Amino acid sequence: MRYPFSFIRVAMAIVLCMAVAPACFAAPNFPATLDRALKSLDKALEHRQEKIDSVYTIIDSLRHELSAPGMRYDDEIVVLEQLVRSFRHLQVDSTWSYSERAIRLARENGDSLRAKRLYLNQIDVMPLRGHVHEAIMRIDSCERMMVDYDLKRVFFRNARSAYLCITSFYSPHELNTKYFSRYLAYNDSLLSMTPVDSPEYRLFLGCHYLGTDQLSLSMATLSDYLETINMNDPHFGDAAANLSIAQFNRGRMEPWLYFMTLNAHFEVHNAYTDGEALRQISARLYERDDVMRAYNYLFLSQENIAMCGTLIRSMHVAGAFPMVENAYRLQQQRYTRILWIMLGCLLLICFLVFMIMRNKMNDLKRLSDLRAKLAKANSVKEVYIAEFLSLCSVYMDKLEEFNRTVSRKITAGQIEDLYGMVKSGRFIEEQSKLFYEVFDNAFINIYPDFISDVNKLLLDDKKFVIADSKKLTPELRILAFMRLGLEDSAQMARFLGLSLNTVYTYRNRLKSRAKNRDTFERDILNIGGVQ
């Protein structure tokens, strides 16, 4: 067996691949960790339909070209082969249909070499159509007839691909050694026919090491090969898939998932719908409790199966789907419960905020009312302070006038007239009347509901009936003094020009008319207060 690497280079590659984590894969164009690879795959899946539509755009153009009348054989067979290549990983029935048409056209035009190549290329498609036994029979029959060197390479390549595909059908949990050994045998046949300086040589050599259980050499060789290509290379998926198999055989599930994710990214990037990388990684993601991704990938895998027509792959999806779907449903139920709880908490918070705001608004309204009342009280206070100042001014003028009158009477010797004027009490009466008018007017304006509030405290048949609401009776003036905080009956008597006994009598009589005698005086003090 020929080896393209020096011993030192292989040894260094083995050391690099001994690490378990997939971050050892140092290709600058690919995500360095599994999490980044999954995020990159998620982003690629967002543009999945655009990739598929772009391929169908090419297919529609080729179909239109094929429908042109009068095409020469050389042009028609080229268009048919392009259609076969375009449909190859997108829709297997269309691939088969155009392949059959191309084979028939080649045979009709005596192009036996092209017809044989197209016939061999069908081997790769047959397992995907469910014709596994027929594919194996065709491989066995063609192997005995292969003489042409170029056709041998075509045959080995398609036989290798077909057996790898068949292996994936019958081994969802472990490698099927029977079919996998046939795959490795045809891989070794390709290896023997591939020049050492060809880039593909490292791919086939890595697969050879995989078959001979030289896993470190396999991972080193395939990793080295993968670093030199990108996702536009048709062999990228092949290399990533075999690297994942090598990791799987080592029991390293996280690196296996990493390389299988790269394989799935390759399939999405190139609009391949016949692969099963999405299905395989969804099962592993389910085991890692990444249920959302597992469900989405499995659902898209089922969509790919329906789109491509590879119904034979649906048996693996059908087995995994109920389990993943149930876990997804339970997770959605948990999310729904959490959402309802959060919504309930949000509504509760909104209700509390509403109540706080309402109370705040009520407080602000009460404060506004108090400010209005205070402003009104201040206004009334200012008005009636002016009234009392005016009254005092009148008293001073009256006193000065009375003083001049007394002085004049004494100078003139009119003592008897002066005595008669004082004795009549007319001066005191006039000033008292003026005081009562000013006091009643001021008090009623400060406490406009005073009389009605007093009546609320009295028995029904003992209420005051006042004709002039702007004028107080002596009893009401006593209550007014009590409301202003004047409790001394002697002072009340002097202000009202009544005897002390009369004031006592009035106060007792008023208390006897009250509904609640014990709290009557306190209730009077509360009239007109802030509620």
Side-chain angles (χ1 to χ4, degrees):
M1 184 66 64
R2 296 166 292 174
Y3 299 95
F5 304 123
S6 67
F7 175 77
I8 296 177
R9 181 173 174 81
V10 174
M12 291 176 63
I14 292 173
V15 172
L16 287 173
C17 286
M18 289 304 291
V20 174
C24 68
F25 184 57
N29 296 324
F30 310 125
T33 64
L34 174 58
D35 287 339
R36 291 181 182 177
L38 288 170
K39 290 178 182 177
S40 179
L41 175 58
D42 291 337
K43 188 173 181 179
L45 286 170
E46 294 176 3
H47 304 283
R48 164 178 169 269
Q49 192 59 47
E50 297 173 15
K51 297 287 187 179
I52 294 173
D53 291 342
S54 65
V55 177
Y56 271 113
T57 300
I58 297 172
I59 289 172
D60 290 341
S61 176
L62 291 171
R63 281 173 167 171
H64 178 73
E65 185 178 349
L66 187 63
S67 63
M71 285 189 71
R72 294 185 301 108
Y73 163 72
D74 290 341
D75 295 331
E76 185 176 0
I77 196 68
V78 169
V79 173
L80 284 172
E81 287 183 326
Q82 289 177 341
L83 279 168
V84 170
R85 286 194 294 272
S86 298
F87 271 119
R88 168 61 190 85
H89 296 286
L90 191 63
Q91 223 288 328
V92 294
D93 288 337
S94 296
T95 304
W96 185 266
S97 175
Y98 283 109
S99 178
E100 286 285 285
R101 181 174 171 179
I103 291 172
R104 186 167 57 252
L105 181 64
R107 287 173 177 171
E108 289 173 356
N109 287 271
D111 194 349
S112 61
L113 185 63
R114 191 188 295 265
K116 288 179 181 178
R117 188 179 70 252
L118 288 167
Y119 181 77
L120 293 175
N121 284 335
Q122 285 184 327
I123 294 173
D124 188 22
V125 182
M126 293 175 73
L128 293 172
R129 300 186 73 225
H131 302 160
V132 176
H133 177 70
E134 292 85 347
I136 295 174
M137 295 296 292
R138 181 176 293 195
I139 290 171
D140 292 342
S141 63
C142 289
E143 188 171 10
R144 293 189 292 270
M145 298 186 300
M146 287 300 104
V147 178
D148 185 270
Y149 180 84
D150 291 333
L151 288 180
K152 274 188 177 183
R153 285 187 57 81
V154 173
F155 168 71
F156 290 145
R157 188 181 299 276
N158 283 281
R160 174 183 180 274
S161 178
Y163 270 111
L164 183 61
C165 182
I166 294 170
T167 300
S168 69
F169 293 158
Y170 297 101
S171 56
H173 303 295
E174 60 183 13
L175 286 177
N176 187 301
T177 54
K178 175 184 174 183
Y179 295 118
F180 193 64
S181 62
R182 294 291 300 272
Y183 157 76
L184 293 171
Y186 287 113
N187 177 81
D188 288 348
S189 297
L190 270 176
L191 179 64
S192 64
M193 298 180 68
T194 303
V196 174
D197 57 352
S198 171
E200 285 185 289
Y201 185 87
R202 282 177 290 176
L203 171 64
F204 300 139
L205 180 62
C207 295
H208 166 75
Y209 288 141
L210 179 62
T212 56
D213 207 27
Q214 301 179 72
L215 299 181
S216 296
L217 281 172
S218 174
M219 287 186 285
T221 306
L222 291 173
S223 295
D224 185 76
Y225 173 68
L226 206 59
E227 291 177 18
T228 64
I229 60 176
N230 56 41
M231 286 189 181
N232 293 318
D233 192 297
H235 300 296
F236 182 93
D238 195 344
N242 280 280
L243 258 172
S244 67
I245 294 173
Q247 298 288 356
F248 182 86
N249 287 345
R250 275 284 176 89
R252 299 171 177 173
M253 298 310 297
E254 293 300 289
W256 170 85
L257 181 58
Y258 171 76
F259 288 111
M260 190 58 71
T261 301
L262 290 183
N263 189 15
H265 195 170
F266 163 79
E267 292 175 358
V268 174
H269 178 76
N270 292 280
Y272 285 12
T273 61
D274 63 338
E276 68 158 12
L278 277 177
R279 194 274 305 171
Q280 290 196 30
I281 63 178
S282 67
R284 179 58 185 166
L285 290 172
Y286 169 76
E287 295 173 0
R288 296 172 85 242
D289 290 328
D290 194 348
V291 178
M292 183 70 74
R293 269 202 182 104
Y295 178 82
N296 290 337
Y297 291 177
L298 200 60
F299 185 81
L300 291 174
S301 179
Q302 185 64 37
E303 275 192 357
N304 286 343
I305 290 171
M307 186 183 303
C308 186
T310 54
L311 299 181
I312 193 169
R313 289 202 185 281
S314 62
M315 62 181 180
H316 292 160
V317 176
F321 204 86
M323 178 176 57
V324 176
E325 193 275 336
N326 183 61
Y328 176 79
R329 181 174 52 82
L330 292 175
Q331 186 182 74
Q332 292 303 303
Q333 289 177 353
R334 287 196 296 270
Y335 288 159
T336 302
R337 284 196 296 271
I338 293 172
L339 181 62
W340 278 111
I341 292 171
M342 292 177 65
L343 182 60
C345 293
L346 182 61
L347 290 175
L348 180 60
I349 292 171
C350 290
F351 176 75
L352 293 175
V353 170
F354 170 76
M355 294 300 295
I356 292 171
M357 292 300 295
R358 191 181 71 169
N359 292 336
K360 186 69 174 177
M361 292 300 293
N362 290 337
D363 291 342
L364 291 174
K365 186 176 182 301
R366 283 195 294 270
L367 182 59
S368 178
D369 292 342
L370 288 173
R371 285 175 177 170
K373 289 182 179 180
L374 181 60
K376 183 178 179 181
N378 287 335
S379 177
V380 171
K381 178 185 69 174
E382 291 171 359
V383 170
Y384 291 103
I385 285 175
E387 288 279 351
F388 281 109
L389 289 174
S390 177
L391 180 61
C392 291
S393 176
V394 170
Y395 280 155
M396 290 176 69
D397 290 342
K398 292 290 184 179
L399 184 60
E400 185 178 353
E401 182 183 349
F402 181 75
N403 187 52
R404 286 197 301 268
T405 301
V406 169
S407 178
R408 190 173 59 249
K409 292 288 185 182
I410 292 173
T411 302
Q414 299 173 349
I415 302 300
E416 291 296 331
D417 291 344
L418 181 62
Y419 177 73
M421 186 176 61
V422 172
K423 187 176 181 180
S424 67
R426 189 182 52 176
F427 180 78
I428 298 299
E429 184 180 349
E430 290 175 356
Q431 303 314 309
S432 297
K433 184 178 179 181
L434 180 60
F435 171 77
Y436 295 151
E437 287 178 359
V438 174
F439 176 80
D440 291 353
N441 188 46
F443 188 83
I444 292 301
N445 278 277
I446 295 174
Y447 300 101
D449 300 323
F450 181 73
I451 298 174
S452 61
D453 289 341
V454 168
N455 281 334
K456 292 177 183 178
L457 301 176
L458 303 179
L459 296 171
D460 293 339
D461 57 342
K462 305 294 183 180
K463 298 181 184 299
F464 287 100
V465 179
I466 305 298
D468 186 359
S469 61
K470 297 296 184 179
K471 188 174 182 180
L472 300 177
T473 64
E475 291 175 306
L476 286 172
R477 288 192 188 106
I478 290 173
L479 294 176
F481 285 134
M482 292 171 62
R483 173 61 187 87
L484 294 174
L486 184 61
E487 292 291 334
D488 190 347
S489 297
Q491 286 184 337
M492 289 183 191
R494 285 195 296 272
F495 276 122
L496 297 174
L498 302 173
S499 67
L500 184 58
N501 287 334
T502 302
V503 172
Y504 279 134
T505 301
Y506 279 154
R507 294 185 68 170
N508 290 330
R509 188 183 300 168
L510 288 168
K511 186 179 292 187
S512 67
R513 295 166 64 181
K515 293 178 181 178
N516 192 338
R517 299 179 183 182
D518 296 334
T519 62
F520 179 68
E521 293 183 356
R522 186 166 63 251
D523 293 338
I524 292 295
L525 282 172
N526 291 330
I527 289 176
V530 179
Q531 301 297 321

